[in-house]
Amino acid sequence: MKRIFSGVQPTGNLHLGNYLGAIRNFVRLQDDYECIFCVVDMHAITVWQDPKQLVDNTREVAASYLAAGVNPEKHIIFNQSQVSAHAELGWVFNCVSRIGWLNRMTQFKDKAGKNREKASTGLYVYPNLMAADILAYKATHVPVGEDQKQHLELTRDIAIKFNNDFNVDLFPVPEPLIFGAATRIMSLRDGSKKMSKSDPSDYSRITMMDDADTVAKKIKKATSDPHLIPGADVLDENGKLLDDARKERPEAFNLLSIYAALNDKELSDVLGEFEGKGFADFKKSLTDVAVTKLGPMGSEMKRLMDDKSYVDSVLKQGADRAAKLAEPVMKEVFDAVGFLRP
Ligand code: AQP
């Protein structure tokens, strides 16, 4: 069966972008793939995390998978640091991957910012660890948002180079699974920045655990514009938003795209529904659907986070199953590389 690996970092403030761009898709993949869904705590520490908070945030991500509907009996849910294969293979890949390849990674440049000398070395080699996450299980498919495409390319390059360097046919070259429109949700305050856990403004994102009042307040305050909602003439023949239209009204189209994604509709249908209306009306409808979709999930997440022993047992059992899957792969890797293991 085709095998998927994917993960979310436990860096707190899980938001609508994480849900629409990743977690919701996990639930949809369960029937057709064998899935390994990881809480990537080792990636999280590439930037400073408060240790106590990291523990809570790890449970928060696991709870979000469960509350969204991932079945832990059928699929694997675990946190990365419980399975040593990630660190072991990550090291081997640090020695296979090239500095020139890492220098091209745009996410490092974005996250490290101007003060690159002060960024952790972990942040720099993060894509090698991501390759290890995927290849330790010989995953064949990886669901990726726009922002992770480049890292998956690097994973593919590492798999090919490892196979060539050691003259083996050990790793499959994993394929991306790219989901349709609205996979990139932007900040509610600034339509040129993606919605992000680390944005200092709470009003930039709707979190998965926001209550109805908070969701309503955030949508009310969300940046929009005074113009009316346009018709389908802002779309190309494939129903895709024209670049010029997005550039002119990034916040407006972000809100419309969120509404489309939450309703599982095309943007063209949403424009048909609201053409000629102002944002005040539209925001009421957006609030209704956001509260309806996120409310029950947020309550379930809170319930699960109070039941720590259940979440921890899911993570432990998942880690045991994941370690069993990775063990024979790591044996092949150590043999290929020439690590003596009497
Ligand atoms: N704004 C977004 N729109 C759509 N998808 C998004 N994802 C993140 N932000 C958006 C997707 O969520 C998954 C998990 O992301 P991650 O936690 O591993 O790291 P990230 O992409 O760095 O997420 P954030 O929220 O932006 O966190 P910080 O602020 O800590 O960097 C990925 O599949 C990602 O595509």
Side-chain angles (χ1 to χ4, degrees), residues 35 81 108 141-142 144 155 171 175 201 223-224 226 252 280 287 329 340:
C35 301
S81 60
F108 174 75
H141 291 78
V142 183
V144 280
T155 298
F171 291 119
E175 297 291 333
S201 166
T223 311
S224 55
T287 303
V329 181
L340 180 68

Side-chain angles (χ1 to χ4, degrees), residues 6-23 26 40 43 47 49 61 65 107 111 126 143-148 182-187 193-199 205:
S6 194
V8 173
Q9 296 187 62
T11 39
N13 293 328
L14 273 186
H15 54 73
L16 193 61
N18 299 130
Y19 175 64
L20 293 174
I23 298 164
F26 294 177
V40 284
H43 285 287
V47 294
Q49 303 296 323
V61 176
Y65 294 172
Q107 199 183 74
K111 289 206 169 178
Y126 169 117
V144 280
E146 273 301 314
D147 50 343
Q148 291 295 337
T183 48
R184 194 170 166 82
I185 305 297
M186 310 310 279
S187 155
K193 288 197 325 206
K194 79 165 188 162
M195 187 177 284
S196 155
K197 304 188 202 100
S198 54
D199 193 312
R205 65 186 155 254

Side-chain angles (χ1 to χ4, degrees), residues 63-199:
S64 77
Y65 294 172
L66 294 166
V70 175
N71 178 349
E73 303 295 324
K74 205 165 158 215
H75 302 283
I76 293 178
I77 296 177
F78 75 110
N79 56 314
Q80 189 183 22
S81 60
Q82 287 203 71
V83 179
S84 58
H86 294 258
E88 292 167 350
L89 190 56
W91 178 256
V92 172
F93 286 169
N94 283 343
C95 304
V96 171
S97 177
R98 304 288 94 180
I99 288 176
W101 296 357
L102 294 177
N103 283 344
R104 286 196 284 277
M105 297 297 114
T106 54
Q107 199 183 74
F108 174 75
K109 292 176 194 160
D110 292 346
K111 289 206 169 178
K114 287 203 183 84
N115 212 350
R116 233 182 261 181
E117 300 286 310
K118 291 264 165 71
S120 74
T121 43
L123 188 66
Y124 184 66
V125 296
Y126 169 117
N128 296 341
L129 181 59
M130 176 171 151
D133 300 337
I134 296 162
L135 295 173
Y137 305 100
K138 295 192 177 179
T140 54
H141 291 78
V142 183
V144 280
E146 273 301 314
D147 50 343
Q148 291 295 337
K149 265 193 203 162
Q150 201 187 25
H151 289 164
L152 185 62
E153 271 306 314
L154 189 99
T155 298
R156 292 163 58 87
D157 290 343
I158 289 176
I160 293 167
K161 187 166 189 303
F162 184 98
N163 288 346
N164 285 338
D165 285 356
F166 296 102
N167 198 21
V168 287
D169 188 17
L170 206 163
F171 291 119
V173 180
E175 297 291 333
L177 281 177
I178 298 188
F179 286 86
T183 48
R184 194 170 166 82
I185 305 297
M186 310 310 279
S187 155
L188 298 182
R189 308 300 288 163
D190 175 352
S192 68
K193 288 197 325 206
K194 79 165 188 162
M195 187 177 284
S196 155
K197 304 188 202 100
S198 54
D199 193 312

Side-chain angles (χ1 to χ4, degrees), residues 23-330:
I23 298 164
R24 178 169 80 162
N25 299 329
F26 294 177
V27 182
R28 295 175 173 179
L29 292 165
Q30 300 191 89
D31 293 337
D32 300 324
Y33 294 87
E34 176 191 356
C35 301
I36 304 171
F37 295 131
C38 191
V39 185
V40 284
D41 48 5
M42 289 163 64
H43 285 287
I45 63 163
T46 55
V47 294
W48 166 254
Q49 303 296 323
D50 175 84
K52 280 207 186 80
Q53 197 63 50
L54 182 62
V55 170
D56 288 345
N57 292 343
T58 299
R59 292 194 181 107
E60 182 198 17
V61 176
S64 77
Y65 294 172
L66 294 166
V70 175
N71 178 349
E73 303 295 324
K74 205 165 158 215
H75 302 283
I76 293 178
I77 296 177
F78 75 110
N79 56 314
Q80 189 183 22
S81 60
Q82 287 203 71
V83 179
S84 58
H86 294 258
E88 292 167 350
L89 190 56
W91 178 256
V92 172
F93 286 169
N94 283 343
C95 304
V96 171
S97 177
R98 304 288 94 180
I99 288 176
W101 296 357
L102 294 177
N103 283 344
R104 286 196 284 277
M105 297 297 114
T106 54
Q107 199 183 74
F108 174 75
K109 292 176 194 160
D110 292 346
K111 289 206 169 178
K114 287 203 183 84
N115 212 350
R116 233 182 261 181
E117 300 286 310
K118 291 264 165 71
S120 74
T121 43
L123 188 66
Y124 184 66
V125 296
Y126 169 117
N128 296 341
L129 181 59
M130 176 171 151
D133 300 337
I134 296 162
L135 295 173
Y137 305 100
K138 295 192 177 179
T140 54
H141 291 78
V142 183
V144 280
E146 273 301 314
D147 50 343
Q148 291 295 337
K149 265 193 203 162
Q150 201 187 25
H151 289 164
L152 185 62
E153 271 306 314
L154 189 99
T155 298
R156 292 163 58 87
D157 290 343
I158 289 176
I160 293 167
K161 187 166 189 303
F162 184 98
N163 288 346
N164 285 338
D165 285 356
F166 296 102
N167 198 21
V168 287
D169 188 17
L170 206 163
F171 291 119
V173 180
E175 297 291 333
L177 281 177
I178 298 188
F179 286 86
T183 48
R184 194 170 166 82
I185 305 297
M186 310 310 279
S187 155
L188 298 182
R189 308 300 288 163
D190 175 352
S192 68
K193 288 197 325 206
K194 79 165 188 162
M195 187 177 284
S196 155
K197 304 188 202 100
S198 54
D199 193 312
S201 166
D202 272 347
Y203 281 92
S204 68
R205 65 186 155 254
I206 294 171
T207 75
M208 289 181 71
M209 290 202 289
D210 279 341
D211 60 28
D213 286 347
T214 310
V215 171
K217 224 187 286 167
K218 288 181 176 176
I219 292 178
K220 201 164 173 213
K221 278 195 158 228
T223 311
S224 55
D225 60 36
H227 309 297
L228 298 179
I229 293 174
D233 53 338
V234 292
L235 305 175
D236 66 14
E237 64 277 11
N238 301 315
K240 204 171 158 270
L241 185 63
L242 296 167
D243 282 347
D244 284 351
R246 189 187 300 277
K247 264 185 215 139
E248 268 170 43
R249 303 178 66 185
E251 286 86 11
F253 285 111
N254 184 40
L255 295 179
L256 290 159
S257 301
I258 293 174
Y259 182 86
L262 283 170
N263 280 299
D264 271 318
K265 284 184 174 172
E266 297 297 328
L267 188 55
S268 56
D269 296 326
V270 177
L271 295 177
E273 196 179 334
F274 292 98
E275 180 175 1
K277 295 198 172 134
F279 271 90
D281 280 350
F282 169 75
K283 281 182 169 182
K284 284 190 195 115
S285 304
L286 178 59
T287 303
D288 287 345
V289 65
V291 168
T292 309
K293 296 271 160 139
L294 296 179
M297 222 163 29
S299 310
E300 178 63 1
M301 278 175 72
K302 280 179 200 144
R303 191 189 69 75
L304 286 166
M305 285 173 71
D306 287 340
D307 188 359
K308 293 189 178 99
S309 60
Y310 173 68
V311 173
D312 291 1
S313 74
V314 168
L315 290 171
K316 173 77 177 83
Q317 281 168 27
D320 290 345
R321 286 161 65 196
K324 277 213 180 74
L325 288 181
E327 199 183 304
V329 181
M330 291 311 294

